Amino acid sequence: MTITSFETNLYQHLAPFFSDHAYALLTEKKQFRRVTSNGFQNIILTSVFYPDDTTLEVNFGCRHEQVEQIAQQFLNNQPDLRPDANTLILSMSRFVGFQKARYKIHSEADLSQVCSQIEDFFSAQGFDFLATAASLPTLDRLLNEYLDEPCRYVYNQTHRCYKGLIAARLNHNPNFDDLVDYYRHLLIHQTQNPYEQMHFERLIAYLQHYSAN
């Protein structure tokens, strides 16, 4: 994977800060990642280049290994992408309420300022969120709390159905059976895809007989 000079400069600005918080730079994946006892936490930096400027979007989230080991058996993801799948992921802009969609960078001074804003965000809010987000009780709440709204902590709302149900089962959520009915009907409405519905029914059957330790 080609790394541009802009990205090299970006990583040089941010690496000391994230290294101080135990996040390693994975250049080939264009992210900083911190391995945890139950998965990982990561910050993904996506750059898009235009003639007059460069836009930078910052996404962050976490992976819960037990949730993903179950989910990836039933989701139609490419096998080589499954080990890197996030359980939760959202942009900085989404987290703070879409106050700013992306950073536009024209110069070295702009880049330095943007990197300072990124560091300030994670010091004030981002690291605290990541520290708690991947626990099963928090995952269960974030994925299943507001059922009538799209979940802002995932981009793929179909995957939300799978991972929300898995988190509820692993967390011994007493409303698991109600969530089965809700997500079953939601998935039918969202996809109109009999193959997707078949995969979801397989997940339901698996979870109903799953013994979580």
Side-chain angles (χ1 to χ4, degrees), residues 143-177:
L143 292 168
N144 298 317
E145 187 172 26
Y146 299 110
L147 293 176
D148 294 332
E149 301 175 9
C151 179
R152 71 170 179 156
Y153 301 101
V154 294
Y155 287 116
N156 189 319
Q157 297 302 310
T158 298
H159 289 190
R160 183 256 187 110
C161 299
Y162 287 78
K163 297 181 184 186
L165 201 60
I166 294 167
R169 181 69 178 88
L170 295 178
N171 193 43
H172 306 287
N173 188 320
N175 298 316
F176 175 77
D177 290 337

Side-chain angles (χ1 to χ4, degrees), residues 50-69:
Y50 297 99
D52 296 328
D53 57 38
T54 299
T55 64
L56 174 67
E57 184 160 15
V58 182
N59 286 277
F60 66 106
C62 60
R63 175 187 177 94
H64 189 285
E65 191 64 35
Q66 192 176 12
V67 170
E68 292 304 320
Q69 283 180 355

Side-chain angles (χ1 to χ4, degrees), residues 3-19:
I3 304 300
T4 66
S5 58
F6 171 85
E7 290 168 321
T8 299
N9 201 8
L10 173 68
Y11 301 151
Q12 287 175 346
H13 273 80
L14 292 173
F17 170 76
F18 283 114
S19 177

Side-chain angles (χ1 to χ4, degrees), residues 17-44:
F17 170 76
F18 283 114
S19 177
D20 285 345
H21 292 84
Y23 283 78
L25 173 61
L26 303 183
T27 308
E28 72 284 1
K29 301 181 188 299
K30 301 191 177 186
Q31 64 182 255
F32 291 93
R33 181 181 293 187
R34 177 177 181 268
V35 176
T36 65
S37 60
N38 62 0
F40 61 69
Q41 302 161 4
N42 60 347
I43 294 95
I44 304 169

Side-chain angles (χ1 to χ4, degrees), residues 35-138:
V35 176
T36 65
S37 60
N38 62 0
F40 61 69
Q41 302 161 4
N42 60 347
I43 294 95
I44 304 169
L45 305 164
T46 305
S47 306
V48 181
F49 303 98
Y50 297 99
D52 296 328
D53 57 38
T54 299
T55 64
L56 174 67
E57 184 160 15
V58 182
N59 286 277
F60 66 106
C62 60
R63 175 187 177 94
H64 189 285
E65 191 64 35
Q66 192 176 12
V67 170
E68 292 304 320
Q69 283 180 355
I70 297 173
Q72 296 303 320
Q73 298 178 58
F74 302 95
L75 295 173
N76 190 29
N77 288 343
Q78 295 180 19
D80 59 332
L81 299 180
R82 292 173 185 172
D84 294 313
N86 276 57
T87 307
L88 301 181
I89 186 167
L90 75 163
S91 66
M92 279 176 52
S93 57
R94 177 178 285 198
F95 188 88
V96 300
F98 293 100
Q99 295 174 9
K100 189 173 183 179
R102 293 178 177 88
Y103 293 107
K104 288 188 176 294
I105 299 169
H106 300 86
S107 66
E108 175 67 27
D110 288 344
L111 178 59
S112 295
Q113 183 179 26
V114 165
C115 288
S116 293
Q117 292 174 11
I118 292 170
E119 293 173 5
D120 289 345
F121 168 80
F122 280 98
S123 294
Q125 302 178 72
F127 288 138
D128 286 343
F129 172 79
L130 290 171
T132 60
S135 69
L136 279 174
T138 304

Side-chain angles (χ1 to χ4, degrees), residues 162 187-188 191-201:
Y162 287 78
L187 199 68
I188 291 172
T191 68
Q192 300 294 315
N193 183 334
Y195 293 101
E196 190 73 64
Q197 293 156 24
M198 178 182 68
H199 285 300
F200 194 64
E201 290 300 325

